[in-house]
Amino acid sequence: MGRQNQLPYLLVAALAVPGLSMAAYGLWGGPTTPEAAAPAPSTSTTPSTTPSGPTMPQGGGMVTPGEVDLVRAAPVATDAPSSEALCPGCDVVVITICSLRRDHVSAYGEVDSLTPNIDRIAAEGVRFDRAYSASNFTLASLTAILTGRFGSSTGVLGWDKGLVDDVPTLSSVLGLYGYHTGAFTIDAASGFRPDYGLDRGFQTMRVISPPPDTPDGRRENATVGPGGASAAPVAEWIRAADPDVPLFTMFHSRTAHYPFVINDDGVEEDATGVTRALWLAGRERTADGPMPGSAGGTAQKGVVQIAKDPVQEAVRAAGAEGVEVWKRLYADAVARMDQDVGVVLKALEDSGRLDRTVVLLVADHGESLDDHGELLHGDAYFDGVVRVPLVMRIPGVEGGQTVAALVSQVDIAPTLLRLVGAMPPAGIDGRSAVPLLTGELDAIRGTALVEGGVAMRDHPTARGAVISPPWVMIRQDRGCSNRPRPAFGEPQTCLFSLDDTDQLKDLAQEQDAIVTELSERWSAYVGAQAEAGEALELDPDFVEMLQQSGYDFRP
C-alpha cells in the first residue's frame, strides 16, 4: 500500500476538499481561525521519539563520507505545469544555508551590510518574518524542505535515519514535470547526500571536497581565492543547462558553519585564545579519535557528556571577551557565505535565467552564539536556532514585501510547486504559502513543529518545540530560562509568549493548561502520522566528520 494511502481517511479528505482543509486541518495545516478544530486529543501528552506508524525501517545502509558525482537519466515527463500558476514552468533555485541566524541577515534589520546578496533577494522579493525550521540540525531540516513533512512523518529525527523508499520529494515531483534537476554541496556533515536518500529525484548530484575558503576545508598555507568556491559547481551547471528546459537546483552552503575560521589569521593577536581554539578545532584527538566538539551534551546513546572540550574551555576561560570573539568570527563566516549566494545569482544573470527563476533562500537552522548558555546548536530549541531567515524572489511578484504569518520549512515544497504550476504530493504536512503572497489568506497554519536532534536517545520523551501563536512550547534537556536545570538527560518543558522575544520568562508552571493542550496536539500528530525512517549505520569516518563539525557525537 502506498504511503499516502496509509493516512487516516478524514485527513486525506481534509487535504482534498478546499476550505475544509483550512478549517479542520489542525496541526497539519493549522487552524486559521481561533475556533478551527484541532486534532483529536491523544491519551498521552509526551510524544515518543520512536515512530509507531506502519512503515518499517529498511535498515542495512551505511553512511560514509566522500565526494559524489552522480548522473542519472531524467524520468519521462508525465505532467505539464498549470497555466493558472503565478510563474508556470519557471526555473526554481533553492539555496539552503547551514547555521545562519536570522539576526545576521541585514534584510531583517539588525545588522548592516553583512549579507548584500541575500538582501538583494529580499529587496526584489518577499521576506518571511516568522519562519521556523523543522529541526535544530541539518539533516532533519533538509529532509523537511525536500519532502514537505515534519520529522515524525519521515522518521528522520537523528543522524541514524534516512528516507524510506516511498516518500516523494520536491525534486522527484518536478522531474515528472520535465525539469532538469541538480543538487550541490560539499563533503561535510550535512546529510545532503545519497546515503540519506536526499538524492531522490535529482538527475545530477555533486558533493565536492571542501574548498579552502570554507571552515570544513581550512588548511595551513592554502590559497583561499576570492570566495564562493563552494558554489562554483552549481554555477557551472546553471550556465551549461539547456535554456529550453526548466531547471530545479538545490545548493547547500556550509561556509558559515563552525568552526567559522578558514585560516590562522589573528591567532597570535587574539589574547583570548578563542581564534586559536577554533583554528585547531577537530584536530585534537583522544585515544578513541577526535575530541568531540561543543554542541550536544546528553548522556544518551550517540551523544556523551564530555568533561572538557578545548574550544568550549577557551571561550569560557576568556569570559565575555571570548564570547565576543566567537560572535565576531561567526559574523565573518556569514559574510563569506554571502559570496556563495552571489556566485549563484551571477550564474543566473549570465545565463539569462534570473528573471524567469524563483529563487528561495532559507537557513537549515540558526546558531545559539551563547544565547541561554549554548554556543552552537543541536541541544536547545530556542529562537536563535529554530526561527530562521526565509526570503524569496519570484518573477512577476512585487519586491520588498514582508509576510508576517507563521510558516515552516515544510511549507517550502508545496509553495514552490504551486508557484510553477505543479501538484504537491498528497498527505504532506506542508501548506502552500502562495495565498499569503496573493493576499487571499492572512495565515496558512496555526501550529508548526520542530523535531529531532543530534542524539540517538533512549529516553521515551521527544525533544523539540511546538510553535502555536501566541505561544512557543519547548521540551529540551537544557531546561528553561528561569528555572533550575533538570537532572542530566531529563527534558524540561518550557512555555514562552511570542512577545518574550529573548525567551527569558518561562510560563509553563503558570499556564499548565496551555502546555497540556500543545502537548496533546503534538501527541495527536505523532499518533496519526509517525513513520519509521530507514535505519542506517554510521561509518567511523562519518562519525569523525560529525565530531570535527562540532557535534558531541559518538556511536
Side-chain angles (χ1 to χ4, degrees):
M1 178 181 292
R3 180 185 178 94
Q4 67 192 53
N5 294 324
Q6 298 167 3
L7 296 171
Y9 173 78
L10 289 178
L11 176 58
V12 176
L15 283 163
V17 180
L20 176 61
S21 61
M22 295 306 299
Y25 200 44
L27 176 61
W28 297 270
T32 56
T33 58
E35 66 274 11
S42 166
T43 56
S44 168
T45 61
T46 54
S48 169
T49 57
T50 304
S52 57
T55 300
M56 299 301 294
Q58 306 293 305
M62 177 71 74
V63 180
T64 58
E67 297 182 12
V68 174
D69 192 357
L70 179 154
V71 178
R72 56 167 66 103
V76 176
T78 58
D79 293 285
S82 168
S83 60
E84 303 297 317
L86 282 181
C87 199
C90 280
D91 295 338
V92 178
V93 172
V94 173
I95 303 171
T96 55
I97 308 297
C98 205
S99 306
L100 177 60
R101 281 179 67 108
R102 176 181 174 277
D103 60 10
H104 278 59
V105 175
S106 303
Y108 285 90
E110 297 185 46
V111 294
D112 291 328
S113 305
L114 195 60
T115 53
N117 291 298
I118 299 178
D119 301 340
R120 176 188 176 187
I121 299 172
E124 297 177 359
V126 181
R127 183 190 77 195
F128 291 82
D129 196 48
R130 194 164 293 282
Y132 280 86
S133 171
S135 188
N136 67 354
F137 81 115
T138 304
L139 170 64
S141 295
L142 297 186
T143 302
I145 290 168
L146 281 168
T147 64
R149 300 173 188 266
F150 290 117
S152 288
S153 180
T154 63
V156 181
L157 295 166
W159 286 111
D160 60 333
K161 294 294 189 295
L163 276 183
V164 294
D165 289 340
D166 59 350
V167 180
T169 63
L170 175 59
S171 45
S172 64
V173 173
L174 287 175
L176 296 176
Y177 283 82
Y179 276 72
H180 184 199
T181 59
F184 301 86
T185 191
I186 65 172
D187 183 22
S190 70
F192 193 28
R193 54 186 309 110
D195 314 56
Y196 285 105
L198 296 189
D199 62 320
R200 187 162 308 156
F202 286 112
Q203 298 144 30
T204 296
M205 175 173 252
R206 288 199 61 196
V207 179
I208 65 169
S209 180
D213 63 351
T214 66
D216 295 298
R218 72 195 190 285
R219 50 188 181 269
E220 294 182 13
N221 304 317
T223 301
V224 172
S230 292
V234 65
E236 178 185 3
W237 184 83
I238 289 171
R239 289 189 174 95
D242 186 336
D244 297 323
V245 178
L247 64 79
F248 164 59
T249 187
M250 182 164 163
F251 164 61
H252 182 65
S253 169
R254 289 256 311 180
T255 306
H257 197 278
Y258 172 89
F260 313 144
V261 300
I262 60 172
N263 53 40
D264 61 358
D265 289 355
V267 165
E268 300 300 329
E269 294 80 6
D270 176 17
T272 70
V274 171
T275 305
R276 179 183 298 278
L278 287 169
W279 169 243
L280 296 175
R283 301 181 187 188
E284 298 197 30
R285 304 180 70 87
T286 68
D288 298 324
M291 174 68 74
S294 306
T298 76
Q300 303 297 323
K301 180 182 178 183
V303 178
V304 295
Q305 188 177 36
I306 301 298
K308 291 184 178 180
D309 163 63
V311 179
Q312 194 150 196
E313 288 284 301
V315 177
R316 297 311 178 200
E321 187 177 353
V323 172
E324 288 307 308
V325 172
W326 180 274
K327 291 179 178 180
R328 175 176 56 79
L329 294 173
Y330 170 75
D332 291 345
V334 169
R336 282 192 297 274
M337 169 278 302
D338 189 71
Q339 293 179 275
D340 292 344
V341 180
V343 168
V344 177
L345 293 179
K346 188 173 189 308
L348 289 170
E349 286 182 314
D350 291 348
S351 61
R353 306 186 83 115
L354 181 61
D355 289 334
R356 56 183 170 109
T357 299
V358 177
V359 179
L360 182 146
L361 182 142
V362 64
D364 57 358
H365 53 75
E367 198 76 289
S368 283
L369 299 188
D370 206 38
D371 289 350
H372 306 274
E374 184 182 38
L375 288 173
L376 291 171
H377 63 271
D379 186 20
Y381 299 85
F382 291 113
D383 266 10
V385 171
V386 303
R387 188 178 177 187
V388 293
L390 170 60
V391 295
M392 294 180 69
R393 184 185 189 276
I394 308 163
V397 173
E398 182 179 358
Q401 297 186 51
T402 299
V403 173
L406 173 67
V407 295
S408 166
Q409 286 176 339
V410 301
D411 301 321
I412 289 173
T415 298
L416 293 173
L417 291 170
R418 289 294 190 185
L419 279 172
V420 302
M423 181 67 69
I428 63 174
D429 301 313
R431 304 284 300 176
S432 170
V434 171
L436 300 176
L437 304 176
T438 60
E440 296 173 64
L441 293 173
D442 294 326
I444 58 169
R445 64 169 57 252
T447 305
L449 291 180
V450 184
E451 298 183 298
V454 299
M456 295 183 290
R457 291 186 171 93
D458 298 320
H459 196 286
T461 302
R463 277 72 162 170
V466 180
I467 318 299
S468 188
W471 303 106
V472 176
M473 188 189 79
I474 299 173
R475 186 178 291 121
Q476 60 190 11
D477 297 303
R478 182 163 289 272
C480 311
S481 301
N482 54 332
R483 278 196 279 159
R485 286 189 66 162
F488 186 72
E490 291 293 323
Q492 192 172 75
T493 299
C494 325
L495 183 72
F496 300 100
S497 165
L498 285 178
D499 294 332
D500 181 8
T501 54
D502 293 325
Q503 297 180 311
L504 296 176
K505 186 178 181 181
D506 169 39
L507 301 172
Q509 294 174 314
E510 301 174 27
Q511 301 284 350
D512 60 309
I514 298 295
V515 171
T516 299
E517 178 188 344
L518 295 179
S519 296
E520 288 180 345
R521 200 178 297 182
W522 190 3
S523 291
Y525 170 79
V526 172
Q529 290 285 79
E531 298 284 350
E534 180 181 3
L536 299 171
E537 296 292 329
L538 304 184
D539 184 277
D541 288 342
F542 189 74
V543 172
E544 181 169 328
M545 180 179 282
L546 288 170
Q547 293 171 341
Q548 292 172 337
S549 294
Y551 294 107
D552 221 357
F553 190 96
R554 293 186 180 180

